[in-house]
Amino acid sequence: MKRFKVVSTAGAAVVLLALTAACSSSGSSSSAPGGSTTGGSTTGGTTSGKSYKMTFIQGVAGDGFYVTMGCGIQAEATKVGNVTVNIQGPTQFDPTLQNPIIESVTAAKPDAILIAPDDVSASRPPIAQAMAAGIKVVLVDTTLSDPSGAVSQISSDNLAGGADAFAAIKQLVPNGGEVFVVNTKPGISTTDQRTQGFADAAKADSKYKYVGVQYDQDTASLAAQVTLAALQKNPNIVGIFATNLFSAEGAATGIRQAGKSGKVKVVGFDADPDQITALKQGTVQALIAQAPYAIGTNAVDQAVAALTGKPTTAKIGTKFTIITNANLNSAASQAAIYKTKC
């Protein structure tokens, strides 16, 4: 997920969200203001009233997007003061690895689960079991084909994010041409929506021709293969939207193998430090940064509202920051870069 010069979403100005609040990492043992962190949990400093236990189940452990979201969750838990948060996640973005974690967490009976489901369908049964057990569930980032019963769904507007990616390509290649998407796996709500948003925007502009999407199973090597094949089949491709880090890395490799470095532009999604390095090195020309910290703070607030009988918001959308080398050193871009620790 990447971007560049501030581009409007469907013609409206992009709202830049600064991730400026202090946070504490899920693996840290250092103290945080008003509370402490121990072995992946954050305990707020206020002990009056009922205490609540929450578990954040990441889409995949160690990813900067989810690390940053965890920072927001932990900081908000400390701010609330009577919330303890545990963080867990699978080693790969795979429902067969995540589902046993959901089941284990459900057996521990926390008050709330904040979760990024790894599949729109396969993740539903264990999450439904958690709901049936009386656990409040907040869906963060990704969602389900049937999200009924969830307290709230909080994520970036991924359709708009895909449209922003196309707008970025338009700025990079204003004369038009063929455009292509390298995606991870079908069945992931966020990346499917990014692809749809990109495709819809491209099809609406007569100067560009959308030539389809190929999947790389979340591996850079396969992304390189599908990119090379696409460039051989469609030699007039001028821009590629890569829906995540591995897709962008592989797309850049495929472009080099095709002998088209500099001729085909790549717009990626997200803003991990590795992706910022890729931007600096010219592997990608723009990054579309999400606001995972804000997703995390909202998730805690929605869970607490549900637990205390207050109104909740069914859907909350967060905005993007478009990062390029030209604006990389701006305060907004620097604030949007994801964290490796809190």
Side-chain angles (χ1 to χ4, degrees):
M1 316 190 174
K2 331 329 185 181
R3 328 35 313 224
F4 61 10
K5 178 180 177 183
V6 177
V7 177
S8 62
T9 300
V14 173
V15 179
L16 304 180
L17 292 179
L19 310 179
T20 55
C23 56
S24 53
S25 90
S26 61
S28 172
S29 60
S30 60
S31 295
S36 62
T37 62
T38 317
S41 298
T42 298
T43 306
T46 302
T47 57
S48 60
K50 181 175 174 57
S51 295
Y52 297 105
K53 294 181 179 180
M54 298 184 188
T55 296
F56 169 38
I57 303 179
Q58 303 161 306
V60 60
D63 181 89
F65 177 84
Y66 292 115
V67 170
T68 306
M69 191 184 300
C71 293
I73 287 170
Q74 291 175 314
E76 192 69 4
T78 297
K79 178 181 176 181
V80 171
N82 60 343
V83 175
T84 299
V85 177
N86 176 264
I87 297 178
Q88 300 185 43
T91 56
Q92 298 177 44
F93 198 96
D94 186 335
T96 65
L97 299 178
Q98 189 190 52
N99 284 358
I101 295 174
I102 301 171
E103 293 165 356
S104 176
V105 169
T106 298
K109 297 182 179 179
D111 297 292
I113 293 175
L114 321 176
I115 181 169
D118 279 359
D119 187 271
V120 292
S121 299
S123 300
R124 172 67 190 183
I127 292 175
Q129 290 173 6
M131 295 176 187
I135 299 169
K136 303 297 184 183
V137 172
V138 178
L139 302 176
V140 293
D141 183 36
T142 49
T143 188
L144 301 168
S145 54
D146 176 14
S148 59
V151 168
S152 183
Q153 301 175 69
I154 307 168
S155 70
S156 306
D157 182 345
N158 285 286
L159 287 169
D164 277 352
F166 175 69
I169 284 180
K170 285 181 66 175
Q171 289 203 5
L172 290 165
V173 193
N175 292 328
E178 296 180 345
V179 292
F180 175 66
V181 176
V182 181
N183 198 357
T184 56
K185 303 176 183 179
I188 300 173
S189 63
T190 50
T191 52
D192 284 351
Q193 289 169 5
R194 291 169 200 165
T195 299
Q196 181 183 340
F198 182 91
D200 290 347
K203 291 174 183 177
D205 192 320
S206 61
K207 291 175 65 177
Y208 298 83
K209 180 181 179 181
Y210 176 66
V211 296
V213 56
Q214 291 291 330
Y215 296 94
D216 58 31
Q217 301 304 310
D218 210 21
T219 62
S221 59
L222 185 54
Q225 293 176 30
V226 300
T227 298
L228 179 59
L231 292 172
Q232 291 171 340
K233 180 180 178 181
N234 302 96
N236 294 322
I237 289 175
V238 296
I240 294 175
F241 171 38
T243 64
N244 78 345
L245 172 62
F246 293 145
S247 299
E249 289 177 349
T253 299
I255 290 169
R256 287 196 299 271
Q257 292 172 342
K260 294 195 172 185
S261 294
K263 298 178 181 179
V264 179
K265 306 301 183 182
V266 179
V267 174
F269 219 89
D270 288 322
D272 282 318
D274 286 348
Q275 292 165 308
I276 296 299
T277 298
L279 180 68
K280 292 177 178 178
Q281 293 175 343
T283 301
V284 298
Q285 284 69 54
L287 297 175
I288 313 296
Q290 302 182 76
Y293 192 97
I295 293 174
T297 59
N298 275 294
V300 172
D301 291 344
Q302 291 300 304
V304 170
L307 289 166
T308 56
K310 296 178 181 178
T312 59
T313 304
K315 286 188 177 182
I316 297 175
T318 55
K319 304 297 183 179
F320 304 93
T321 301
I322 297 177
I323 305 176
T324 63
N325 271 317
N327 68 10
L328 178 57
N329 292 325
S330 69
S333 293
Q334 288 296 305
I337 297 172
Y338 302 170
K339 303 174 184 298
T340 56
K341 60 181 181 179
C342 302

mmCIF file of all heavy atoms in Angstrom, residues 147-188:
data_model
loop_
_atom_site.group_PDB
_atom_site.id
_atom_site.type_symbol
_atom_site.label_atom_id
_atom_site.label_comp_id
_atom_site.label_asym_id
_atom_site.label_seq_id
_atom_site.Cartn_x
_atom_site.Cartn_y
_atom_site.Cartn_z
ATOM 1 N N PRO A 147 -20.923 -9.953 8.441
ATOM 2 C CA PRO A 147 -20.408 -9.366 9.669
ATOM 3 C C PRO A 147 -21.453 -9.198 10.766
ATOM 4 O O PRO A 147 -21.199 -8.539 11.779
ATOM 5 C CB PRO A 147 -19.910 -7.993 9.208
ATOM 6 C CG PRO A 147 -20.865 -7.638 8.118
ATOM 7 C CD PRO A 147 -21.233 -8.931 7.431
ATOM 8 N N SER A 148 -22.627 -9.801 10.588
ATOM 9 C CA SER A 148 -23.700 -9.614 11.568
ATOM 10 C C SER A 148 -23.240 -10.057 12.948
ATOM 11 O O SER A 148 -22.550 -11.057 13.115
ATOM 12 C CB SER A 148 -24.937 -10.416 11.150
ATOM 13 O OG SER A 148 -24.647 -11.802 11.047
ATOM 14 N N GLY A 149 -23.634 -9.280 13.941
ATOM 15 C CA GLY A 149 -23.266 -9.569 15.317
ATOM 16 C C GLY A 149 -22.054 -8.815 15.797
ATOM 17 O O GLY A 149 -21.824 -8.701 17.006
ATOM 18 N N ALA A 150 -21.264 -8.273 14.878
ATOM 19 C CA ALA A 150 -20.088 -7.505 15.276
ATOM 20 C C ALA A 150 -20.517 -6.143 15.821
ATOM 21 O O ALA A 150 -21.480 -5.544 15.338
ATOM 22 C CB ALA A 150 -19.145 -7.313 14.097
ATOM 23 N N VAL A 151 -19.806 -5.678 16.812
ATOM 24 C CA VAL A 151 -20.083 -4.368 17.406
ATOM 25 C C VAL A 151 -19.866 -3.264 16.384
ATOM 26 O O VAL A 151 -20.666 -2.329 16.254
ATOM 27 C CB VAL A 151 -19.177 -4.155 18.635
ATOM 28 C CG1 VAL A 151 -19.221 -2.697 19.097
ATOM 29 C CG2 VAL A 151 -19.573 -5.099 19.761
ATOM 30 N N SER A 152 -18.762 -3.372 15.633
ATOM 31 C CA SER A 152 -18.403 -2.327 14.684
ATOM 32 C C SER A 152 -17.424 -2.897 13.667
ATOM 33 O O SER A 152 -16.723 -3.872 13.940
ATOM 34 C CB SER A 152 -17.767 -1.134 15.412
ATOM 35 O OG SER A 152 -17.465 -0.073 14.512
ATOM 36 N N GLN A 153 -17.411 -2.291 12.482
ATOM 37 C CA GLN A 153 -16.407 -2.587 11.470
ATOM 38 C C GLN A 153 -15.603 -1.311 11.241
ATOM 39 O O GLN A 153 -16.172 -0.287 10.870
ATOM 40 C CB GLN A 153 -17.061 -3.011 10.160
ATOM 41 C CG GLN A 153 -17.941 -4.239 10.255
ATOM 42 C CD GLN A 153 -18.640 -4.516 8.937
ATOM 43 O OE1 GLN A 153 -18.018 -4.895 7.946
ATOM 44 N NE2 GLN A 153 -19.954 -4.322 8.907
ATOM 45 N N ILE A 154 -14.302 -1.396 11.463
ATOM 46 C CA ILE A 154 -13.455 -0.209 11.379
ATOM 47 C C ILE A 154 -12.325 -0.497 10.397
ATOM 48 O O ILE A 154 -11.553 -1.431 10.587
ATOM 49 C CB ILE A 154 -12.874 0.161 12.758
ATOM 50 C CG1 ILE A 154 -13.997 0.280 13.796
ATOM 51 C CG2 ILE A 154 -12.088 1.455 12.672
ATOM 52 C CD1 ILE A 154 -13.513 0.350 15.219
ATOM 53 N N SER A 155 -12.243 0.288 9.348
ATOM 54 C CA SER A 155 -11.211 0.041 8.344
ATOM 55 C C SER A 155 -11.032 1.268 7.475
ATOM 56 O O SER A 155 -11.812 2.220 7.524
ATOM 57 C CB SER A 155 -11.600 -1.149 7.460
ATOM 58 O OG SER A 155 -12.693 -0.817 6.626
ATOM 59 N N SER A 156 -9.982 1.211 6.664
ATOM 60 C CA SER A 156 -9.832 2.204 5.613
ATOM 61 C C SER A 156 -10.958 2.016 4.598
ATOM 62 O O SER A 156 -11.520 0.926 4.473
ATOM 63 C CB SER A 156 -8.481 2.015 4.911
ATOM 64 O OG SER A 156 -7.415 2.012 5.823
ATOM 65 N N ASP A 157 -11.272 3.055 3.874
ATOM 66 C CA ASP A 157 -12.209 2.946 2.759
ATOM 67 C C ASP A 157 -11.411 2.393 1.583
ATOM 68 O O ASP A 157 -10.827 3.139 0.795
ATOM 69 C CB ASP A 157 -12.800 4.320 2.436
ATOM 70 C CG ASP A 157 -13.829 4.265 1.310
ATOM 71 O OD1 ASP A 157 -13.876 3.246 0.593
ATOM 72 O OD2 ASP A 157 -14.559 5.249 1.140
ATOM 73 N N ASN A 158 -11.364 1.066 1.468
ATOM 74 C CA ASN A 158 -10.461 0.446 0.504
ATOM 75 C C ASN A 158 -10.889 0.648 -0.940
ATOM 76 O O ASN A 158 -10.048 0.655 -1.844
ATOM 77 C CB ASN A 158 -10.292 -1.028 0.840
ATOM 78 C CG ASN A 158 -9.395 -1.241 2.034
ATOM 79 O OD1 ASN A 158 -8.188 -1.097 1.929
ATOM 80 N ND2 ASN A 158 -9.985 -1.548 3.176
ATOM 81 N N LEU A 159 -12.185 0.813 -1.189
ATOM 82 C CA LEU A 159 -12.606 1.175 -2.538
ATOM 83 C C LEU A 159 -12.016 2.526 -2.939
ATOM 84 O O LEU A 159 -11.485 2.698 -4.039
ATOM 85 C CB LEU A 159 -14.137 1.223 -2.617
ATOM 86 C CG LEU A 159 -14.871 -0.117 -2.611
ATOM 87 C CD1 LEU A 159 -16.368 0.109 -2.431
ATOM 88 C CD2 LEU A 159 -14.613 -0.883 -3.906
ATOM 89 N N ALA A 160 -12.085 3.473 -2.004
ATOM 90 C CA ALA A 160 -11.498 4.793 -2.259
ATOM 91 C C ALA A 160 -9.983 4.698 -2.372
ATOM 92 O O ALA A 160 -9.359 5.413 -3.166
ATOM 93 C CB ALA A 160 -11.887 5.759 -1.151
ATOM 94 N N GLY A 161 -9.378 3.792 -1.575
ATOM 95 C CA GLY A 161 -7.934 3.611 -1.654
ATOM 96 C C GLY A 161 -7.500 3.116 -3.020
ATOM 97 O O GLY A 161 -6.470 3.547 -3.554
ATOM 98 N N GLY A 162 -8.272 2.198 -3.597
ATOM 99 C CA GLY A 162 -7.969 1.741 -4.940
ATOM 100 C C GLY A 162 -8.111 2.848 -5.964
ATOM 101 O O GLY A 162 -7.306 2.977 -6.895
ATOM 102 N N ALA A 163 -9.143 3.672 -5.786
ATOM 103 C CA ALA A 163 -9.324 4.817 -6.677
ATOM 104 C C ALA A 163 -8.172 5.800 -6.541
ATOM 105 O O ALA A 163 -7.701 6.384 -7.529
ATOM 106 C CB ALA A 163 -10.654 5.514 -6.385
ATOM 107 N N ASP A 164 -7.673 5.978 -5.315
ATOM 108 C CA ASP A 164 -6.514 6.841 -5.100
ATOM 109 C C ASP A 164 -5.283 6.294 -5.815
ATOM 110 O O ASP A 164 -4.468 7.044 -6.365
ATOM 111 C CB ASP A 164 -6.217 6.958 -3.611
ATOM 112 C CG ASP A 164 -7.066 8.011 -2.916
ATOM 113 O OD1 ASP A 164 -7.782 8.751 -3.607
ATOM 114 O OD2 ASP A 164 -7.014 8.086 -1.675
ATOM 115 N N ALA A 165 -5.137 4.972 -5.790
ATOM 116 C CA ALA A 165 -3.995 4.359 -6.478
ATOM 117 C C ALA A 165 -4.050 4.646 -7.974
ATOM 118 O O ALA A 165 -3.024 4.927 -8.612
ATOM 119 C CB ALA A 165 -3.975 2.850 -6.215
ATOM 120 N N PHE A 166 -5.241 4.593 -8.550
ATOM 121 C CA PHE A 166 -5.362 4.929 -9.967
ATOM 122 C C PHE A 166 -5.067 6.406 -10.192
ATOM 123 O O PHE A 166 -4.395 6.777 -11.164
ATOM 124 C CB PHE A 166 -6.757 4.593 -10.489
ATOM 125 C CG PHE A 166 -6.971 5.029 -11.913
ATOM 126 C CD1 PHE A 166 -6.296 4.404 -12.945
ATOM 127 C CD2 PHE A 166 -7.826 6.086 -12.205
ATOM 128 C CE1 PHE A 166 -6.467 4.822 -14.263
ATOM 129 C CE2 PHE A 166 -8.003 6.511 -13.522
ATOM 130 C CZ PHE A 166 -7.323 5.873 -14.552
ATOM 131 N N ALA A 167 -5.552 7.257 -9.299
ATOM 132 C CA ALA A 167 -5.270 8.689 -9.433
ATOM 133 C C ALA A 167 -3.768 8.951 -9.379
ATOM 134 O O ALA A 167 -3.247 9.825 -10.083
ATOM 135 C CB ALA A 167 -5.986 9.468 -8.337
ATOM 136 N N ALA A 168 -3.055 8.172 -8.552
ATOM 137 C CA ALA A 168 -1.603 8.311 -8.471
ATOM 138 C C ALA A 168 -0.950 7.930 -9.794
ATOM 139 O O ALA A 168 -0.032 8.609 -10.279
ATOM 140 C CB ALA A 168 -1.069 7.444 -7.339
ATOM 141 N N ILE A 169 -1.421 6.845 -10.394
ATOM 142 C CA ILE A 169 -0.880 6.440 -11.696
ATOM 143 C C ILE A 169 -1.167 7.507 -12.750
ATOM 144 O O ILE A 169 -0.325 7.796 -13.612
ATOM 145 C CB ILE A 169 -1.438 5.064 -12.111
ATOM 146 C CG1 ILE A 169 -0.731 3.959 -11.302
ATOM 147 C CG2 ILE A 169 -1.282 4.825 -13.614
ATOM 148 C CD1 ILE A 169 -1.172 2.566 -11.605
ATOM 149 N N LYS A 170 -2.329 8.126 -12.691
ATOM 150 C CA LYS A 170 -2.655 9.190 -13.638
ATOM 151 C C LYS A 170 -1.670 10.342 -13.524
ATOM 152 O O LYS A 170 -1.306 10.959 -14.535
ATOM 153 C CB LYS A 170 -4.083 9.702 -13.396
ATOM 154 C CG LYS A 170 -5.173 8.766 -13.876
ATOM 155 C CD LYS A 170 -6.560 9.336 -13.627
ATOM 156 C CE LYS A 170 -6.814 10.573 -14.440
ATOM 157 N NZ LYS A 170 -8.217 11.050 -14.290
ATOM 158 N N GLN A 171 -1.241 10.640 -12.309
ATOM 159 C CA GLN A 171 -0.267 11.713 -12.153
ATOM 160 C C GLN A 171 1.108 11.290 -12.653
ATOM 161 O O GLN A 171 1.863 12.096 -13.182
ATOM 162 C CB GLN A 171 -0.191 12.143 -10.692
ATOM 163 C CG GLN A 171 -1.427 12.893 -10.227
ATOM 164 C CD GLN A 171 -1.165 13.774 -9.018
ATOM 165 O OE1 GLN A 171 -0.025 13.905 -8.574
ATOM 166 N NE2 GLN A 171 -2.202 14.365 -8.478
ATOM 167 N N LEU A 172 1.411 10.003 -12.486
ATOM 168 C CA LEU A 172 2.703 9.500 -12.931
ATOM 169 C C LEU A 172 2.760 9.332 -14.449
ATOM 170 O O LEU A 172 3.803 9.545 -15.071
ATOM 171 C CB LEU A 172 3.003 8.149 -12.259
ATOM 172 C CG LEU A 172 3.300 8.190 -10.763
ATOM 173 C CD1 LEU A 172 3.206 6.788 -10.161
ATOM 174 C CD2 LEU A 172 4.676 8.780 -10.507
ATOM 175 N N VAL A 173 1.630 8.912 -15.038
ATOM 176 C CA VAL A 173 1.574 8.645 -16.479
ATOM 177 C C VAL A 173 0.334 9.355 -17.051
ATOM 178 O O VAL A 173 -0.686 8.723 -17.360
ATOM 179 C CB VAL A 173 1.505 7.133 -16.771
ATOM 180 C CG1 VAL A 173 1.763 6.871 -18.256
ATOM 181 C CG2 VAL A 173 2.472 6.352 -15.919
ATOM 182 N N PRO A 174 0.388 10.666 -17.194
ATOM 183 C CA PRO A 174 -0.817 11.432 -17.555
ATOM 184 C C PRO A 174 -1.322 11.197 -18.977
ATOM 185 O O PRO A 174 -2.472 11.528 -19.269
ATOM 186 C CB PRO A 174 -0.369 12.885 -17.364
ATOM 187 C CG PRO A 174 1.120 12.848 -17.511
ATOM 188 C CD PRO A 174 1.550 11.541 -16.939
ATOM 189 N N ASN A 175 -0.496 10.619 -19.827
ATOM 190 C CA ASN A 175 -0.931 10.443 -21.221
ATOM 191 C C ASN A 175 -1.758 9.184 -21.444
ATOM 192 O O ASN A 175 -2.217 8.929 -22.562
ATOM 193 C CB ASN A 175 0.286 10.421 -22.143
ATOM 194 C CG ASN A 175 0.977 11.773 -22.206
ATOM 195 O OD1 ASN A 175 0.328 12.810 -22.088
ATOM 196 N ND2 ASN A 175 2.289 11.762 -22.361
ATOM 197 N N GLY A 176 -1.945 8.378 -20.396
ATOM 198 C CA GLY A 176 -2.791 7.207 -20.522
ATOM 199 C C GLY A 176 -2.038 5.961 -20.926
ATOM 200 O O GLY A 176 -0.813 5.960 -21.093
ATOM 201 N N GLY A 177 -2.788 4.865 -21.064
ATOM 202 C CA GLY A 177 -2.201 3.581 -21.430
ATOM 203 C C GLY A 177 -2.888 2.455 -20.690
ATOM 204 O O GLY A 177 -3.924 2.645 -20.047
ATOM 205 N N GLU A 178 -2.312 1.279 -20.758
ATOM 206 C CA GLU A 178 -2.874 0.114 -20.095
ATOM 207 C C GLU A 178 -2.398 0.034 -18.653
ATOM 208 O O GLU A 178 -1.243 0.351 -18.342
ATOM 209 C CB GLU A 178 -2.490 -1.164 -20.853
ATOM 210 C CG GLU A 178 -3.077 -1.205 -22.248
ATOM 211 C CD GLU A 178 -2.711 -2.466 -23.013
ATOM 212 O OE1 GLU A 178 -1.778 -3.176 -22.594
ATOM 213 O OE2 GLU A 178 -3.359 -2.737 -24.043
ATOM 214 N N VAL A 179 -3.298 -0.409 -17.764
ATOM 215 C CA VAL A 179 -2.962 -0.519 -16.335
ATOM 216 C C VAL A 179 -3.380 -1.896 -15.838
ATOM 217 O O VAL A 179 -4.313 -2.518 -16.350
ATOM 218 C CB VAL A 179 -3.633 0.593 -15.508
ATOM 219 C CG1 VAL A 179 -3.041 1.956 -15.835
ATOM 220 C CG2 VAL A 179 -5.147 0.603 -15.722
ATOM 221 N N PHE A 180 -2.694 -2.337 -14.802
ATOM 222 C CA PHE A 180 -2.773 -3.731 -14.358
ATOM 223 C C PHE A 180 -2.678 -3.774 -12.842
ATOM 224 O O PHE A 180 -2.091 -2.888 -12.223
ATOM 225 C CB PHE A 180 -1.598 -4.484 -15.007
ATOM 226 C CG PHE A 180 -1.415 -5.914 -14.600
ATOM 227 C CD1 PHE A 180 -2.352 -6.878 -14.921
ATOM 228 C CD2 PHE A 180 -0.259 -6.311 -13.917
ATOM 229 C CE1 PHE A 180 -2.160 -8.208 -14.572
ATOM 230 C CE2 PHE A 180 -0.059 -7.635 -13.568
ATOM 231 C CZ PHE A 180 -1.010 -8.588 -13.892
ATOM 232 N N VAL A 181 -3.261 -4.818 -12.220
ATOM 233 C CA VAL A 181 -3.201 -4.990 -10.770
ATOM 234 C C VAL A 181 -2.511 -6.308 -10.425
ATOM 235 O O VAL A 181 -2.819 -7.348 -11.017
ATOM 236 C CB VAL A 181 -4.606 -4.975 -10.140
ATOM 237 C CG1 VAL A 181 -4.518 -5.258 -8.633
ATOM 238 C CG2 VAL A 181 -5.295 -3.642 -10.378
ATOM 239 N N VAL A 182 -1.593 -6.246 -9.467
ATOM 240 C CA VAL A 182 -1.013 -7.452 -8.876
ATOM 241 C C VAL A 182 -1.552 -7.522 -7.453
ATOM 242 O O VAL A 182 -1.247 -6.664 -6.618
ATOM 243 C CB VAL A 182 0.525 -7.417 -8.876
ATOM 244 C CG1 VAL A 182 1.077 -8.704 -8.263
ATOM 245 C CG2 VAL A 182 1.056 -7.246 -10.294
ATOM 246 N N ASN A 183 -2.370 -8.533 -7.181
ATOM 247 C CA ASN A 183 -3.038 -8.678 -5.887
ATOM 248 C C ASN A 183 -2.485 -9.898 -5.154
ATOM 249 O O ASN A 183 -1.744 -10.698 -5.715
ATOM 250 C CB ASN A 183 -4.545 -8.801 -6.102
ATOM 251 C CG ASN A 183 -5.353 -8.517 -4.855
ATOM 252 O OD1 ASN A 183 -4.806 -8.273 -3.787
ATOM 253 N ND2 ASN A 183 -6.666 -8.544 -4.979
ATOM 254 N N THR A 184 -2.875 -10.048 -3.910
ATOM 255 C CA THR A 184 -2.359 -11.136 -3.075
ATOM 256 C C THR A 184 -3.139 -12.425 -3.297
ATOM 257 O O THR A 184 -2.728 -13.294 -4.041
ATOM 258 C CB THR A 184 -2.395 -10.737 -1.596
ATOM 259 O OG1 THR A 184 -3.745 -10.356 -1.251
ATOM 260 C CG2 THR A 184 -1.483 -9.564 -1.335
ATOM 261 N N LYS A 185 -4.278 -12.546 -2.639
ATOM 262 C CA LYS A 185 -5.135 -13.721 -2.758
ATOM 263 C C LYS A 185 -6.584 -13.257 -2.868
ATOM 264 O O LYS A 185 -6.972 -12.286 -2.219
ATOM 265 C CB LYS A 185 -5.009 -14.613 -1.512
ATOM 266 C CG LYS A 185 -3.612 -15.087 -1.178
ATOM 267 C CD LYS A 185 -3.620 -15.880 0.134
ATOM 268 C CE LYS A 185 -2.223 -16.307 0.537
ATOM 269 N NZ LYS A 185 -2.222 -17.057 1.821
ATOM 270 N N PRO A 186 -7.397 -13.953 -3.640
ATOM 271 C CA PRO A 186 -8.825 -13.617 -3.637
ATOM 272 C C PRO A 186 -9.453 -14.007 -2.304
ATOM 273 O O PRO A 186 -8.976 -14.921 -1.622
ATOM 274 C CB PRO A 186 -9.390 -14.470 -4.781
ATOM 275 C CG PRO A 186 -8.429 -15.602 -4.927
ATOM 276 C CD PRO A 186 -7.079 -15.063 -4.551
ATOM 277 N N GLY A 187 -10.494 -13.286 -1.899
ATOM 278 C CA GLY A 187 -11.189 -13.625 -0.664
ATOM 279 C C GLY A 187 -10.757 -12.813 0.540
ATOM 280 O O GLY A 187 -11.241 -13.045 1.640
ATOM 281 N N ILE A 188 -9.841 -11.839 0.347
ATOM 282 C CA ILE A 188 -9.456 -10.923 1.424
ATOM 283 C C ILE A 188 -10.192 -9.611 1.165
ATOM 284 O O ILE A 188 -10.003 -8.983 0.118
ATOM 285 C CB ILE A 188 -7.933 -10.701 1.465
ATOM 286 C CG1 ILE A 188 -7.211 -12.027 1.695
ATOM 287 C CG2 ILE A 188 -7.566 -9.692 2.555
ATOM 288 C CD1 ILE A 188 -5.706 -11.934 1.578
#
